[in-house]
Every structure is written in C-alpha cells, then in structure tokens.
Amino acid sequence: MHLRIKAVAMAMVVATVGAAAIPAAPASANVSQGYVTGSGTWTDDWGDEGPISASTRSYSNVVAMWQKILVADGYLAASGVDCRFGPATTAATKRWQTDRGLVSDGVVGPRTFATAATRLTTYEGWFYYDGLGSNFIYFGRLADGKWDMSLGPDLEWQPLSYTNASFSICS
C-alpha cells in the first residue's frame, strides 16, 4: 500500500512538472494562410506575421495596416496610406524601427510586428493600436481568427490580407 501511494504521488509530481515545462504554444500564423491570423489569446497574434516590404507582398491590406500604424505614430502622412509599400513607407519603417531599437532594414517581419503589437489593447471586444496622442486604429478579430480593420472614407471593414488590396483607398 505504501509503495502504491508513493507511485501515485510520484506520477502526480511528474505530470505537474511535465505540464509546467511545456510552454503554451503561441498563435501560429503562416503567411501562406493569406491573412493576419491568430487563435487563443490575442496578445501573441502579431509576433509571427510578415514579412512585408517593398519587395515582398508590397501591395495588400496588410501594407495598409502597417501604413496606418506609421500614421498613428507620426512617421507617415495620412495621405501616404495607399496599400503600396513604396519609398515613403520604406523610409518611415526604417525610422520607426530605429526609434525602437530594431534592425532598420525596412522589412516588417515578426519582430517589427511584435513590437507594434505591444501598443495593442482591447476594449469591449474591439482592439485598437494606441499611437501617439489620440491616434488610434481599430481592429477586429473574426471568429475564424482573421484580423480585420476599418479604413477609407466609408470606414469599410476588410480582412487583413497579404494577397489582396481591397480597401477603396487602395485603388
């Protein structure tokens, strides 16, 4: 009987330690999914996104999202939001990265997205990027995990696609 109690106690210790040693899996996105996506907690959704740059996925709703972040933080004029990762977006991205201690390469990859995500917060089921002053960008996360954003004169909501530039402002 004593051995059985000891064995059960040891099994409980091993199970507890084993469970603690296995980290919770972060949201796992893949650009091939075509969208900014996440599951579970939203706080790690952006840390595995990208890359976007002047030479990689340079015309999309995700570029528009990044441009809005640059606008919110004062690095790009609002008129620069056109869903195209051109010279102005590249220069603004490099300044944004430098000011945050990141490699200033103009490529928005997982580290740049993760750094931007530190400015995300939630309120009543909505997400927003808290830029400088009163500059906010509102986001949603759909039931399938895709993130979406409101943009343009009609404040239309579109999913954050890597392969499609569907906001009216993108034309």
Side-chain angles (χ1 to χ4, degrees):
M1 178 80 165
H2 181 58
L3 275 174
R4 199 155 127 192
I5 292 173
K6 229 178 182 178
V8 169
M10 182 58 99
M12 289 174 57
V13 168
V14 168
T16 302
V17 170
I22 300 170
S28 178
N30 184 325
V31 173
S32 67
Q33 291 173 317
Y35 298 91
V36 174
T37 60
S39 62
T41 181
W42 58 271
T43 56
D44 63 358
D45 283 2
W46 288 12
D48 54 1
E49 293 295 338
I52 57 171
S53 69
S55 61
T56 305
R57 291 175 276 290
S58 61
Y59 181 62
S60 69
N61 287 353
V62 177
V63 172
M65 175 191 90
W66 179 247
Q67 290 173 325
K68 288 295 290 181
I69 288 170
L70 293 172
V71 169
D73 285 340
Y75 291 85
L76 187 68
S79 61
V81 178
D82 61 2
C83 307
R84 289 174 170 73
F85 207 114
T89 301
T90 299
T93 298
K94 287 179 178 180
R95 287 191 312 274
W96 191 95
Q97 290 170 323
T98 296
D99 289 350
R100 284 153 184 81
L102 299 170
V103 173
S104 178
D105 58 6
V107 175
V108 183
R111 283 197 173 165
T112 300
F113 272 120
T115 300
T118 64
R119 302 294 300 167
L120 283 174
T121 192
T122 184
Y123 179 73
E124 294 185 5
W126 294 98
F127 304 94
Y128 66 92
Y129 181 86
D130 187 3
L132 296 175
S134 60
N135 295 318
F136 298 100
I137 309 164
Y138 294 94
F139 297 97
R141 189 170 81 173
L142 305 171
D144 63 1
K146 293 177 187 169
W147 283 71
D148 62 354
M149 177 179 84
S150 173
L151 178 66
D154 299 328
L155 296 177
E156 61 196 297
W157 285 87
Q158 296 288 338
L160 296 175
S161 170
Y162 284 100
T163 58
N164 190 17
S166 58
F167 289 111
S168 61
I169 200 167
C170 298
S171 56

